[in-house]
Amino acid sequence: MSDTTHTDKTSADSIAVAFDYQYYYFLFKVFSLEDGQSVSLEVKDDVHTELRNNIQLLIQLKHSVQTSASGNSVNLTTLDNDLWHTLYNWCEVITDAQDDRKNTAKQIEFVEKTYFILVSNKSYTEQNKFIEILNNYKIGSITHKKAKNEISKITTENKDIQKYKAKLLSLDDDVSERFFNHMEFDLDNDDLIDKCKIALKSKMIPEESINDLFKKLDSSIREENYTAIKKNQKIIINFDEYYKKYRIYYDQARNTDLQIKTFNIGLPDNLTEQRFIQHLIDINDISEDDIDDIIEFTKYKLQIQNNVSSWLQEAELTKDQLDDFEKEVIAIWRNEFRSKNRGQMTEEEIQVKALSIVDTLRKERLSISSLQLDTQHSNGEFYYLSDNLKIGWRKDWEDKYSG
């Protein structure tokens, strides 16, 4: 029995979700890159974006697994530790003497070129006094002095929040004024994967291609990040690098022609009992002991089946087009079958001719719609038709297997 408590499990889950939340926001910013921009992960902040004209965005990500009684994410409240700890971190960055920002002039220079954004799945509430004060200041309803005074009236017994608030109020007024103007809250941000896909759609990617493109980009960028971390390198992606490496992914996604997809498919338990495998065993193309070949041939069949099912489901292929494809494949098989099976034959000759047919058809490159299939998927289609008793290899295959 595991010694891990429920609290420990919940905490571990929360950390994992928070990490993914941060990563997917980073991915969203990567998908939104424009010329002259770059985005980094955990370099200057959780996510950091460099824009043109030396403008930068420092973005803090805060995710909560807590929900309200209605099932929605909890609110970002006035005394939320995530709020005040974020403000404190930003103040520490602004006044960082190690980064040559000990004096006010340097702090002002830094804040004028920086926007500070808190992104969270927590919900906005009108009861958040700090955000209310900030918004009133931004629209000119209150002065900066009044805003600081109102913030000073926010009271709590929490020693950490007291420290965070004191740090915020200790900023020079000229620095604080600019900081308030450049502070933003992006709340109720829950489904970042959907946000990523919307960003891809904005690049004129057809809707039916978005999911596949997202999976490819997500997988590749995750792998790159992992490699960078192992090498102790910073994770920074700029537009030019991204364009050079990933443009081909976007071009392929915009191509309305059929695209081959790779599926993770479980193999059937009864591999050797599949009809098409039995047919190949019967003509001595393989034996029951050729497990590697049997697995390989089964994968070919399942991959073409799943691609065809996906194309039909996504309306990338019509039933009429599929019927035409199968008719053409059967016609190719029939021509080869007829050419090899003229006249009377002995059993030995039937076996030899059957093997010849298989060998010949394995070299065929089939086409469906405007897509030319590779050898594996072409072979898979022949295996699929054999498995469904639409074609065979022996001269007497219909009589032999019809029962």
Side-chain angles (χ1 to χ4, degrees):
M1 182 179 292
S2 171
D3 294 330
T4 306
T5 67
H6 176 73
T7 302
D8 290 336
K9 290 178 181 176
T10 303
S11 178
D13 290 344
S14 300
I15 293 170
V17 172
F19 178 81
D20 284 340
Y21 188 79
Q22 178 178 303
Y23 165 76
Y24 280 117
Y25 192 85
F26 163 78
L27 198 63
F28 160 68
K29 298 301 286 186
V30 170
F31 293 168
S32 304
L33 278 172
E34 296 182 3
D35 190 26
Q37 298 181 354
S38 68
V39 59
S40 63
L41 181 63
E42 292 188 328
V43 176
K44 294 185 178 181
D45 212 326
D46 289 344
V47 174
H48 162 242
T49 299
E50 292 279 353
L51 306 178
R52 290 179 176 178
N53 303 322
N54 205 29
I55 297 297
Q56 64 178 352
L57 310 180
L58 297 186
I59 305 166
Q60 281 271 312
L61 282 299
K62 300 297 180 184
H63 184 276
S64 176
V65 295
Q66 294 180 305
T67 56
S68 64
S70 63
N72 297 320
S73 297
V74 294
N75 294 332
L76 186 75
T77 60
T78 302
L79 296 176
D80 195 308
N81 190 72
D82 283 345
L83 166 63
W84 290 98
H85 190 243
T86 296
L87 296 173
Y88 175 78
N89 285 340
W90 284 335
C91 291
E92 288 287 286
V93 171
I94 291 169
T95 59
D96 189 359
Q98 299 300 315
D99 211 7
D100 193 28
R101 287 192 291 276
K102 188 174 182 180
N103 64 66
T104 301
K106 289 289 186 179
Q107 293 170 13
I108 290 173
E109 180 184 352
F110 176 78
V111 174
E112 282 185 338
K113 69 175 186 179
T114 307
Y115 286 82
F116 305 84
I117 305 170
L118 173 60
V119 177
S120 178
N121 70 318
K122 292 183 178 181
S123 300
Y124 169 76
T125 171
E126 293 180 352
Q127 280 70 51
N128 189 309
K129 187 65 178 176
F130 178 84
I131 294 180
E132 179 188 359
I133 294 167
L134 187 71
N135 288 340
N136 286 336
Y137 164 70
K138 284 186 172 183
I139 64 176
S141 296
I142 60 175
T143 64
H144 176 256
K145 182 178 180 179
K146 176 71 172 176
K148 288 187 70 173
N149 185 52
E150 290 296 315
I151 292 170
S152 70
K153 295 178 181 177
I154 297 174
T155 59
T156 176
E157 297 299 318
N158 186 300
K159 299 297 183 183
D160 288 333
I161 293 179
Q162 288 177 7
K163 181 182 78 169
Y164 302 154
K165 187 179 77 168
K167 179 67 178 180
L168 175 66
L169 294 174
S170 72
L171 290 177
D172 179 271
D173 282 347
D174 289 335
V175 176
S176 176
E177 187 172 357
R178 290 166 173 81
F179 182 36
F180 285 5
N181 279 320
H182 282 196
M183 193 187 303
E184 298 176 12
F185 294 89
D186 188 4
L187 306 181
D188 297 289
N189 248 310
D190 198 26
D191 194 346
L192 292 186
I193 291 178
D194 189 55
K195 196 178 183 81
C196 287
K197 292 179 180 179
I198 292 172
L200 292 178
K201 186 177 180 179
S202 72
K203 305 297 183 182
M204 307 303 167
I205 302 300
E207 285 200 47
E208 63 270 17
S209 302
I210 289 175
N211 286 340
D212 192 51
L213 175 61
F214 171 77
K215 289 176 185 177
K216 289 177 180 178
L217 293 173
D218 179 24
S219 175
S220 181
I221 292 171
R222 273 187 186 274
E223 184 177 338
E224 280 198 345
N225 288 359
Y226 175 73
T227 301
I229 291 170
K230 283 183 64 179
K231 294 180 178 179
N232 201 30
Q233 296 173 344
K234 294 179 179 179
I235 299 174
I236 303 174
I237 299 177
N238 66 52
F239 176 82
D240 289 337
E241 292 171 352
Y242 185 72
Y243 178 82
K244 182 177 180 180
K245 180 163 187 177
Y246 291 104
R247 186 190 68 180
I248 184 65
Y249 288 77
Y250 286 78
D251 289 343
Q252 289 173 348
R254 291 190 189 98
N255 187 347
T256 56
D257 294 340
L258 296 179
Q259 300 290 322
I260 288 290
K261 303 168 187 174
T262 301
F263 295 89
N264 294 320
I265 304 168
L267 296 172
D269 295 330
N270 54 341
L271 283 170
T272 59
E273 295 178 17
Q274 297 175 95
R275 277 202 196 103
F276 85 98
I277 292 296
Q278 283 294 319
H279 295 180
L280 294 176
I281 291 173
D282 285 350
I283 63 174
N284 296 320
D285 179 65
I286 54 174
S287 73
E288 290 189 357
D289 295 328
D290 295 329
I291 297 300
D292 288 344
D293 287 336
I294 291 172
I295 290 174
E296 197 70 14
F297 296 165
T298 301
K299 287 181 178 178
Y300 294 170
K301 181 187 71 126
L302 294 176
Q303 285 295 340
I304 188 63
Q305 278 184 258
N306 279 271
N307 270 283
V308 167
S309 295
S310 174
W311 294 330
L312 288 172
Q313 185 175 347
E314 298 296 329
E316 297 171 356
L317 185 75
T318 67
K319 183 63 168 59
D320 288 342
Q321 287 175 309
L322 177 59
D323 290 343
D324 290 342
F325 168 63
E326 287 199 354
K327 288 175 185 176
E328 177 64 15
V329 177
I330 291 172
I332 292 170
W333 160 80
R334 183 178 292 109
N335 287 342
E336 184 63 23
F337 184 81
R338 286 170 62 90
S339 72
K340 294 293 195 303
N341 286 306
R342 294 189 178 98
Q344 297 297 315
M345 297 181 190
T346 64
E347 176 61 26
E348 181 179 352
E349 288 173 328
I350 290 175
Q351 292 282 87
V352 170
K353 296 293 186 181
L355 285 170
S356 177
I357 294 168
V358 171
D359 290 341
T360 298
L361 293 182
R362 279 179 176 150
K363 298 172 186 176
E364 282 284 340
R365 295 285 301 278
L366 303 175
S367 293
I368 180 168
S369 185
S370 58
L371 173 67
Q372 184 178 47
L373 298 175
D374 58 24
T375 301
Q376 294 181 14
H377 290 85
S378 296
N379 286 183
E381 179 63 18
F382 286 117
Y383 298 151
Y384 168 77
L385 293 175
S386 171
D387 205 48
N388 286 273
L389 296 181
K390 294 184 178 182
I391 65 172
W393 316 121
R394 290 175 55 95
K395 182 177 182 179
D396 58 352
W397 70 274
E398 288 182 286
D399 293 333
K400 187 175 178 66
Y401 302 118
S402 62

